[in-house]
Amino acid sequence: MKDRMTPAGMAGHTQRGQCAKRMSILDAAADVFCRQGFAGASIDEIAAVACVSRQTIYNHYREKETLFVAVVEDVMNRANAMLFSVLSSFPEKADNLEDGLTEFAVRLNKNCICNHDGKFLRKLVQTEGERYPHLFESWRQQGPGKLTTALSALLARLAHKGVLVIDDFDVAARQFVALANADLQMMTLFGETPTDEELDKAARNAVRTFLKAYGRPADKAGRPPELAAIAG
Amino acid sequence: MKDRMTPAGMAGHTQRGQCAKRMSILDAAADVFCRQGFAGASIDEIAAVACVSRQTIYNHYREKETLFVAVVEDVMNRANAMLFSVLSSFPEKADNLEDGLTEFAVRLNKNCICNHDGKFLRKLVQTEGERYPHLFESWRQQGPGKLTTALSALLARLAHKGVLVIDDFDVAARQFVALANADLQMMTLFGETPTDEELDKAARNAVRTFLKAYGRPADKAGRPPELAAIAG
DNA sequence: GACGTTTTAGACAATGGCGTCTAGTTTTAC
DNA sequence: GTAAAACTAGACGCCATTGTCTAAAACGTC
């Protein structure tokens, strides 16, 4: 149903257990919980979507709540791995900064924020956040928290190189993310998935504004910031 | 329970009906629907919160769904009136633009986005959006849609005066809103309400960045943009 | 103070979901 | 090939909820 590739599951997270059925259940449950919310989701529907008998679900998860928690943890693990991967692709090179940041923003939106898992988590956090505070506090830390922290550090390095001029790195990081989402927020809220073209346009708008605000201004000779930085 | 002032209700929206009880029911239902979602909310709980018998609810609203729709429409009416009022306070004067925009951003966050009604609507849109597409399409248009359109026009006027330098007004409008929310998004998502101090700081960060990107640059004499604009 | 309307409290049937149980079947492992 | 484990289908009790109904009480108005 989803995009779960190998039956062996991913790296070494939680319990990957008796693969096939278990994964099928997790995916189906994620789907149904996301559409109907915790209260609205019925075990029978999850079983039907997973092509599994109800008893099998209860064999793996003691009760509805156990399943719910497992689903959220599973999706969070995938999302964290993805976020790590995307953060690793942050452009280090100062030359062609605009293109580098734009592609980074595209990847961030496409794989972490507008993608299935990202929408799932945000939706569930908002829906059931009060009921499971600890689960969602950990989401907050590992998701948006980690993103801001990491991005802040990455921006600081660029600022240190002299490519960017930033007074408050945390604020700049949050603003980068906010700008990157500005044009897509509404689509994402409604469950629509942006096309590659829309992703690119949104990222370009965001980075242009971000660099107008934080980019190193052209020096007196009128050289663009990258060259000016290289020239010292 | 909420902040509904006069028993006569607001201006001339929908049916304000047999005031007292009806409003009490609407407020209670909004509260419970927001916390539990449509499926999780029980009529009995709503009745208890409203200090009303269950039958009274059924006297006013044929069934649960009717009540839900009425609640959403009621909140949307309040929110629209508030948005209109906030938009009317957009700073027209070019002098002290930074302060003017900052105060505007504070009002926008405080009264339209981070407030009770704003959070309620965003949450319900995300939770039950698929079930009631028409209701939430109208939210999209009257809420974020109207905000972007109006803000875009207001920014265009400032640009026309030469105070701002903007190529795409719609994009700039969305970015303004996104920046204004950047620091508060996470709190709002979790139901916390920002303090006045936090509101002010967030708005100040947002406007500073917005003006760095779109503000008219100081002229050769080094005069700040406002004076430069006046001096022609 | 009497009448019509509104509200109340609670009983009520019907529905549907959760979680358990059982008996039979399939799959896996050795 | 056989034994153990996992899975299936369906029945079952239990409980919460919806929406209806009724008889009594409160309310407001004339």
Side-chain angles (χ1 to χ4, degrees):
Chain A
M1 269 277 140
K2 289 304 149 33
D3 44 20
R4 212 193 267 286
M5 300 297 144
T6 135
M10 32 184 2
H13 293 302
T14 46
Q15 79 290 48
R16 57 189 127 137
Q18 296 78 336
C19 304
K21 296 273 170 184
R22 204 178 192 104
M23 282 169 32
S24 165
I25 293 172
L26 282 178
D27 284 342
D31 181 32
V32 177
F33 278 135
C34 191
R35 274 189 291 109
Q36 321 268 9
F38 180 80
S42 93
I43 300 284
D44 285 303
E45 186 178 352
I46 294 174
V49 173
C51 295
V52 141
S53 85
R54 181 174 57 253
Q55 184 57 41
T56 301
I57 294 183
Y58 284 106
N59 282 346
H60 288 280
Y61 306 95
R62 194 159 39 77
E63 54 187 357
K64 197 181 179 185
E65 195 168 310
T66 318
L67 173 59
F68 179 73
V69 172
V71 166
V72 175
E73 281 175 347
D74 180 59
V75 177
M76 270 179 55
N77 285 334
R78 275 212 303 275
N80 281 339
M82 183 55 87
L83 177 60
F84 180 80
S85 151
V86 167
L87 281 172
S88 313
S89 77
F90 188 83
E92 297 283 336
K93 301 289 183 183
D95 58 320
N96 228 341
L97 184 61
E98 181 168 342
D99 287 351
L101 281 179
T102 302
E103 282 163 29
F104 174 75
V106 166
R107 278 190 296 272
L108 189 63
N109 275 326
K110 182 170 192 164
N111 301 319
C112 298
I113 298 179
C114 300
N115 69 331
H116 195 276
D117 289 347
K119 287 187 289 189
F120 170 88
L121 288 173
R122 265 196 318 285
K123 181 166 179 177
L124 266 292
V125 162
Q126 209 164 48
T127 309
E128 319 290 346
E130 298 174 16
R131 211 180 304 275
Y132 304 90
H134 94 97
L135 210 58
F136 296 107
E137 183 54 34
S138 88
W139 169 80
R140 177 188 210 158
Q141 286 169 11
Q142 295 174 42
K146 178 177 280 183
L147 172 57
T148 303
T149 310
L151 200 51
S152 170
L154 290 165
L155 290 175
R157 287 168 67 174
L158 287 184
H160 194 255
K161 281 191 198 163
V163 189
L164 297 178
V165 180
I166 299 176
D167 50 340
D168 187 324
F169 302 122
D170 281 347
V171 167
R174 280 195 292 268
Q175 288 179 339
F176 183 87
V177 178
L179 286 172
N181 278 302
D183 291 350
L184 304 174
Q185 239 171 354
M186 210 45 55
M187 299 189 60
T188 318
L189 196 64
F190 271 81
E192 303 164 23
T193 308
T195 65
D196 283 357
E197 210 173 337
E198 289 166 324
L199 279 167
D200 193 72
K201 194 183 236 173
R204 200 157 293 281
N205 286 336
V207 170
R208 249 203 285 270
T209 298
F210 187 80
L211 286 182
K212 271 195 282 183
Y214 290 116
R216 192 170 186 272
D219 64 0
K220 305 104 217 165
R223 286 173 296 185
E226 296 89 350
L227 295 181
I230 290 169
Chain B
M1 263 281 132
K2 291 305 148 32
D3 45 19
R4 212 193 267 286
M5 301 296 145
T6 135
M10 35 185 358
H13 292 302
T14 47
Q15 80 291 45
R16 56 190 129 135
Q18 296 78 334
C19 304
K21 295 272 170 187
R22 204 179 191 102
M23 282 169 33
S24 164
I25 293 172
L26 282 178
D27 284 343
D31 180 33
V32 177
F33 278 136
C34 192
R35 274 190 290 109
Q36 320 268 9
F38 180 81
S42 94
I43 300 284
D44 284 304
E45 186 178 353
I46 294 174
V49 173
C51 296
V52 141
S53 85
R54 182 175 56 254
Q55 184 57 39
T56 301
I57 294 184
Y58 283 106
N59 282 346
H60 289 280
Y61 305 96
R62 194 159 39 78
E63 54 187 358
K64 196 181 180 184
E65 195 168 310
T66 317
L67 173 60
F68 179 72
V69 172
V71 167
V72 175
E73 281 175 347
D74 181 59
V75 178
M76 269 178 56
N77 285 333
R78 275 212 303 275
N80 281 340
M82 183 55 89
L83 177 59
F84 180 80
S85 150
V86 167
L87 280 172
S88 313
S89 78
F90 187 83
E92 296 283 336
K93 301 289 185 185
D95 58 319
N96 229 340
L97 184 61
E98 181 168 341
D99 286 352
L101 281 178
T102 301
E103 281 163 31
F104 173 75
V106 167
R107 278 190 297 272
L108 188 63
N109 275 325
K110 183 170 193 167
N111 301 319
C112 298
I113 297 179
C114 301
N115 69 330
H116 195 277
D117 289 347
K119 287 187 288 188
F120 170 88
L121 287 173
R122 264 195 319 285
K123 182 166 178 177
L124 266 291
V125 162
Q126 208 163 50
T127 310
E128 320 289 346
E130 298 174 16
R131 211 181 303 276
Y132 305 91
H134 94 97
L135 211 58
F136 297 107
E137 183 54 33
S138 86
W139 169 80
R140 177 189 210 159
Q141 286 169 11
Q142 294 174 42
K146 178 178 279 183
L147 171 57
T148 303
T149 309
L151 200 52
S152 171
L154 291 164
L155 290 175
R157 287 167 66 173
L158 287 184
H160 195 254
K161 281 191 196 162
V163 189
L164 297 178
V165 180
I166 300 176
D167 49 341
D168 187 323
F169 301 122
D170 280 347
V171 167
R174 280 194 292 268
Q175 288 179 338
F176 183 87
V177 178
L179 286 172
N181 278 302
D183 291 349
L184 303 174
Q185 240 171 353
M186 211 42 56
M187 298 189 61
T188 317
L189 196 65
F190 271 81
E192 302 164 23
T193 308
T195 65
D196 283 357
E197 211 174 337
E198 289 166 324
L199 280 167
D200 193 72
K201 194 184 238 173
R204 201 157 293 282
N205 286 337
V207 170
R208 249 204 284 271
T209 297
F210 187 80
L211 286 182
K212 271 194 283 182
Y214 290 115
R216 192 167 185 276
D219 63 2
K220 303 103 216 165
R223 287 174 295 185
E226 296 89 350
L227 296 180
I230 290 168

